[in-house]
Amino acid sequence: LFRVTNSFYMGCYNAAYGRILGLPTNGLTMTIGQPSRHVPMYLGYKTVKNYEGYPPLGEAILRLTNATFSAYLTDLMLGICDNTNDWGGGYGVLDLVSSTLTAFEVTGTIRVGQGSNDYSGKATGYLMLPSGTASCGRLLIGSTNASFSYGLVELHGTKFVVTNSLTIGPTGKLPNYLTGTSGGIALANPDTNSLTIHPGGFLFVRFDSDPTDRGDDYWGLRMAGDQRDYFQQLRDAGRLGWTNLMSHDLDRR
């Protein structure tokens, strides 16, 4: 059992690297925060100028296998560089694809792979989730003002509720892979401004198998209200894509 009851920071500020080594690969239960006390979690977060002697990169990798993971967070930062003075760079990975997700609650914002500007250094973030449920207020992927950045949120049947807004910048990607059961982004806010995908950014839903329950809806992206026209506009613009179940047509990437 690995339980963190307060804030969780790896590879942040002046730190060069952060890795947890020696954890068991089988039977580990990891919990960040508590249902009654949400805490911040930052992996690869750079905010300071690189004065002489300080490392240039904030890097953190947390990749769990055959584990059980729970998180109750205020905010989640993965591969962020908010340093505006000098080259820095942030690299953050949270990979839970090969584990069991029992809780993933973020009351505030998730930022993945965002840099403040090109001068601040490369910012790269990866968030990869398995089947289960997740939620957050805002989800920001990739940058709108830093071409060196890259943000990837990869879902594998995750039911991910976003209560406020989802923004995918020009350097952001969100693929969602489904193998018979529904999952993906579910936007609770019906305002079309709550879903913004910039040119270069992409959200893709891949149905890799037919639904296991043919009497229920089989969905990979949901948004409150009737958003069919808006989704079609995004698809026509090359920012949103999905496969057809029978043909598995991948011509939209």
Side-chain angles (χ1 to χ4, degrees):
L1 176 63
F2 185 178
R3 179 178 294 149
V4 179
T5 58
N6 209 320
S7 54
F8 188 98
Y9 297 93
M10 289 174 61
C12 297
Y13 303 103
N14 290 335
Y17 306 106
R19 287 189 177 95
I20 295 179
L21 302 177
L23 290 176
T25 58
N26 290 284
L28 171 69
T29 298
M30 186 172 189
T31 301
I32 311 296
Q34 304 171 69
S36 60
R37 184 184 182 186
H38 290 61
V39 302
M41 183 175 184
Y42 290 11
L43 302 178
Y45 181 65
K46 192 76 175 184
T47 60
V48 297
K49 184 176 180 179
N50 294 315
Y51 295 103
E52 185 177 357
Y54 285 144
L57 178 68
E59 181 184 64
I61 300 172
L62 184 57
R63 180 175 286 115
L64 301 180
T65 303
N66 296 326
T68 299
F69 184 86
S70 303
Y72 305 92
L73 309 176
T74 54
D75 295 287
L76 174 62
M77 306 287 177
L78 295 172
I80 305 299
C81 186
D82 283 339
N83 174 23
T84 60
N85 298 316
D86 204 346
W87 289 89
Y91 182 84
V93 177
L94 179 58
D95 182 358
L96 305 173
V97 170
S98 299
S99 293
T100 299
L101 186 67
T102 58
F104 197 86
E105 299 178 7
V106 183
T107 57
T109 300
I110 298 176
R111 296 174 61 195
V112 183
Q114 287 196 317
S116 53
N117 51 58
D118 282 343
Y119 186 59
S120 68
K122 188 172 183 178
T124 306
Y126 297 90
L127 174 62
M128 291 163 280
L129 298 178
S131 61
T133 59
S135 63
C136 73
R138 292 195 307 158
L139 177 56
L140 309 175
I141 309 170
S143 293
T144 58
N145 58 349
S147 59
F148 291 163
S149 65
Y150 180 73
L152 174 71
V153 174
E154 187 177 286
L155 306 179
H156 295 262
T158 321
K159 291 183 173 66
F160 201 138
V161 176
V162 178
T163 58
N164 191 340
S165 62
L166 164 63
T167 301
I168 302 178
T171 61
K173 299 290 185 292
L174 198 163
N176 178 29
Y177 303 101
L178 300 174
T179 55
T181 57
S182 298
I185 296 295
L187 269 163
N189 188 345
D191 187 346
T192 55
N193 291 322
S194 68
L195 174 58
T196 302
I197 306 176
H198 291 265
F202 198 61
L203 190 159
F204 184 74
V205 181
R206 176 168 166 164
F207 296 95
D208 284 330
S209 62
D210 290 336
T212 55
D213 184 357
R214 294 177 180 269
D216 196 6
D217 292 336
Y218 189 23
W219 60 271
L221 172 65
R222 272 185 169 175
M223 188 173 177
D226 184 348
Q227 307 295 348
R228 287 172 292 182
D229 290 343
Y230 184 55
F231 286 168
Q232 189 61 50
Q233 290 173 19
L234 291 173
R235 189 177 195 187
D236 292 341
R239 305 177 195 180
L240 173 64
W242 57 83
T243 61
N244 297 318
L245 283 175
M246 300 304 295
S247 66
H248 294 286
D249 179 15
L250 297 177
D251 63 353
R252 307 295 298 191
R253 282 188 241 182

